[in-house]
């Protein structure tokens, strides 16, 4: 009976892992930039619908800033994947979110160019 208890305690001690890993600061920064970018997208679209045809310059400036912010977020997200001694969850999530939002931006600009030329 005592051997079984000692064995169970020993197994518990061996199953605990101590690590020096931290959360990725670059991954968190990338995620925050992506959230700011998508917020800029929705705010710009809301303002464009509210202002109608008078929103060209305002929406263009908000859109370009948010698009550039998303490109920076994607680049930071890629760099966060290369960090050592960090948990990989946030860097992977930041890259996935960045790619999705970047594709949304590209689709929006592509749609705008398509509508302008036709």
């Amino acid at each position: 009976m005592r051997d079984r208890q000692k064995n169970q305690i020993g197994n518990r001690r061996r199953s605990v892992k101590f690590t020096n890993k931290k959360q990725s600061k670059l991954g968190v920064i990338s995620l925050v930039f992506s959230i700011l970018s998508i917020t800029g997208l929705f705010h710009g679209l809301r303002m464009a619908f509210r202002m109608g045809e008078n929103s060209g310059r305002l929406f263009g400036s908000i859109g370009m800033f948010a698009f550039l912010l998303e490109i920076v977020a994607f680049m930071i997200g890629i760099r966060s994947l290369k960090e050592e001694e960090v948990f990989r969850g946030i860097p992977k999530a930041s890259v996935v979110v960045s790619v999705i939002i970047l594709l949304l931006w590209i689709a929006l600009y592509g749609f705008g160019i398509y509508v302008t030329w036709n």
Side-chain angles (χ1 to χ4, degrees):
M1 187 71 151
R2 284 189 150 209
D3 291 334
R4 184 182 292 170
Q5 288 176 346
K6 283 183 181 180
N7 195 13
Q8 287 176 351
I9 292 172
N11 285 341
R12 278 190 241 154
R13 287 185 188 158
R14 282 188 225 133
S15 67
V16 175
K17 294 181 181 177
F18 294 100
T19 181
N20 292 332
K21 289 185 179 183
K22 301 175 191 168
Q23 293 297 340
S24 171
K25 291 179 184 177
L26 291 177
V28 172
I29 290 171
S30 173
L31 209 51
V32 168
F33 281 2
S34 293
I35 291 170
L36 289 174
S37 176
I38 197 75
T39 303
L41 171 68
F42 289 131
H43 179 67
L45 286 173
R46 185 175 58 100
M47 293 300 291
F49 281 114
R50 183 180 290 175
M51 294 177 68
E53 293 182 10
N54 299 329
S55 65
R57 289 185 182 165
L58 176 66
F59 179 64
S61 61
I62 291 173
M64 283 306 294
F65 177 74
F67 180 67
L68 292 175
L69 186 66
E70 189 56 40
I71 290 173
V72 170
F74 178 69
M75 291 175 9
I76 291 173
I78 294 296
R79 286 188 66 202
S80 71
L81 288 174
K82 296 178 183 178
E83 285 183 313
E84 295 180 5
E85 295 296 323
V86 294
F87 293 109
R88 297 285 180 214
I90 290 179
K92 287 179 183 178
S94 69
V95 170
V96 169
V97 169
S98 294
V99 167
I100 291 170
I101 296 173
L102 204 54
L103 289 175
L104 282 172
W105 275 112
I106 291 170
L108 181 68
Y109 279 111
F111 179 73
I113 290 171
Y114 174 76
V115 168
T116 303
W117 284 356
N118 288 330

